[in-house]
Amino acid sequence: MWPYVQINNLNQMQGPVTEVERHLLFIGSAASNTGKLLSLNTQSDFDTLLGEGDSELKTNLLASRDNAGQNWTAAAYVLPEDGDWLAAVRTAQQTQSFEGVVVLGQEWDQAGINAAHALNQELIAKWGRWQFMLLAVPGIADEQDWATYEAELATLQDGIAASSVSLVPQLWPTLAGAYAGRLCNRAVSIADSPCRVKTGALVGLGNKPVDKDGIPLPLATLQTLEQNRYSVTMWYPDYDGTYWADGRTLDAEGGDYQVIENLRVAYKVARRMRLRAIARIGDRSFNSTPGSTAAAIMYFGKDLREMSRSATIAGIQFPGEIMPPTDGDIVIEWKNKNDVAIYAQ
């Protein structure tokens, strides 16, 4: 054999992954750029992009920016008044990826809510993109009292199982945007509940809404809405500021994803694991032998280890997004020579 040396540079997939967390798509109508997908950040001129007058899309984007704080980004699809928001979400996927979708200015019934969850499943199947849906439900009408409004919203969500969907009553005109911004605040991780008080109160809501009798929004109404799986605000007697109750979703009773922080963490893991699995397609070094399985467990557990990292600053520990993985949290099962199942818990 003739002696020679060959050097191969192999890609071990140890680099960073483009982050889609905290980047949301807003769907709504505005005066300018109808039918266009707009990229936004904290420096964007909203009057130029969306028109000088107020619109639900514009005011909610501003509320999102102000509640998210530094390094906020988003995208906005300016929907024609008779436009199909489902088609708009599909169109936006061709340009950008998102962690979630905020839908404004729609009237909702149970079929529409189920269609939002079906779109979530479609995006997973077609694009491999896990995106939650925040649907802005209209606030109280001028002719309604709080009891009537509670009953209407209780009926709207009754019987629906849609873990990817959160319903946000627009009790303030900018509430969905404020909530979306709170979810995108980089002072905390995606595993933190929006009910946290430590990062401050909601910004820019204004006066409490009133019903037809002039009665201000009571805490009891918010509690009833929350028990009916709506994501709503909260305040505390003798403690200044308006905060959030919990990031409720329409998951079924007993489900893992009844609150949005659990859903966000699971979706992040799914996105990262998908990319790692694609890189191992057709790789003969990934096989059912004990040595290969042990190496694969380390490989597929990398994102879990990164997400679990905590930091201690001035003696205070800031936890990671998940618990540190332990033996058995990654399980690899070969069904046959060509098919493998990878489980993460």
Side-chain angles (χ1 to χ4, degrees):
M1 180 178 177
W2 190 264
Y4 67 90
V5 173
Q6 179 171 326
I7 307 297
N8 296 321
N9 291 325
L10 301 179
N11 191 335
Q12 299 299 313
M13 297 296 292
Q14 299 180 52
V17 175
T18 301
E19 181 183 86
V20 300
E21 289 76 31
R22 304 180 184 86
H23 184 66
L24 305 185
L25 169 64
F26 287 73
I27 305 287
S29 299
S32 300
N33 286 312
T34 300
K36 295 181 180 179
L37 179 68
L38 306 176
S39 298
L40 306 168
N41 63 18
T42 55
Q43 307 302 315
S44 297
D45 186 333
F46 289 87
D47 288 340
T48 299
L49 293 171
L50 300 172
E52 293 187 359
D54 285 341
S55 63
E56 187 174 22
L57 177 60
K58 180 180 175 182
T59 56
N60 277 270
L61 281 165
L62 290 169
S64 178
R65 180 198 65 186
D66 294 344
N67 281 274
Q70 300 177 71
N71 300 308
W72 171 84
T73 67
Y77 190 98
V78 185
L79 194 69
E81 290 197 7
D82 57 348
D84 180 1
W85 75 268
L86 296 165
V89 174
R90 296 184 183 102
T91 299
Q93 303 300 317
Q94 300 174 22
T95 306
Q96 300 184 36
S97 295
F98 312 96
E99 187 190 9
V101 180
V102 183
V103 187
L104 303 164
Q106 302 291 315
E107 296 289 337
W108 297 104
D109 55 19
Q110 293 205 343
I113 295 170
N114 282 317
H117 184 57
L119 178 61
N120 160 270
Q121 298 298 299
E122 176 187 324
L123 296 177
I124 295 172
K126 186 174 182 179
W127 297 89
R129 295 177 181 173
W130 285 260
Q131 299 175 13
F132 59 79
M133 305 284 165
L134 302 184
L135 310 184
V137 177
I140 189 168
D142 293 339
E143 69 278 4
Q144 288 182 316
D145 58 21
W146 291 117
T148 304
Y149 186 66
E150 291 172 21
E152 179 183 298
L153 265 61
T155 301
L156 177 62
Q157 60 79 41
D158 187 43
I160 297 176
S163 60
S164 68
V165 176
S166 288
L167 301 180
V168 184
Q170 288 286 70
L171 297 167
W172 285 264
T174 61
L175 193 58
Y179 176 47
R182 196 167 182 83
L183 294 178
C184 296
N185 191 313
R186 293 181 180 274
V188 292
S189 75
I190 64 169
D192 283 272
S193 170
C195 77
R196 66 188 181 273
V197 173
K198 191 172 184 178
T199 51
L202 292 167
V203 176
L205 290 186
N207 296 329
K208 292 179 183 177
V210 297
D211 67 2
K212 69 180 183 66
D213 300 318
I215 298 174
L217 173 64
L219 269 177
T221 290
L222 294 173
Q223 187 174 19
T224 297
L225 294 177
E226 198 276 339
Q227 290 172 349
N228 282 292
R229 304 187 297 173
Y230 286 87
S231 197
V232 295
T233 54
M234 169 77 192
W235 60 83
Y236 304 90
D238 300 324
Y239 196 98
D240 295 329
T242 300
Y243 302 89
W244 210 260
D246 212 344
R248 291 299 301 272
T249 73
L250 295 183
D251 195 10
E253 291 290 329
D256 292 336
Y257 307 122
Q258 297 181 68
V259 290
I260 198 165
E261 60 267 24
N262 292 353
L263 185 73
R264 297 179 78 190
V265 169
Y267 276 10
K268 180 175 179 178
V269 171
R271 286 189 287 266
R272 301 297 176 88
M273 293 286 283
R274 174 179 175 270
L275 296 178
R276 292 200 168 276
I278 290 173
R280 283 295 182 264
I281 292 175
D283 185 350
R284 288 185 65 242
S285 68
F286 179 29
N287 55 60
S288 59
T289 61
S292 176
T293 298
I297 288 173
M298 288 293 294
Y299 170 76
F300 285 105
K302 179 181 179 182
D303 294 308
L304 300 184
R305 293 190 297 274
E306 290 182 350
M307 291 173 65
S308 70
R309 288 176 184 164
S310 60
T312 301
I313 302 174
I316 300 175
Q317 186 176 41
F318 293 83
E321 294 170 335
I322 59 174
M323 295 288 290
T326 58
D327 291 343
D329 284 350
I330 299 288
V331 176
I332 297 176
E333 178 184 340
W334 284 89
K335 299 180 179 299
N336 54 54
K337 179 181 177 181
N338 299 314
D339 297 325
V340 61
I342 303 166
Y343 302 92
Q345 62 178 4

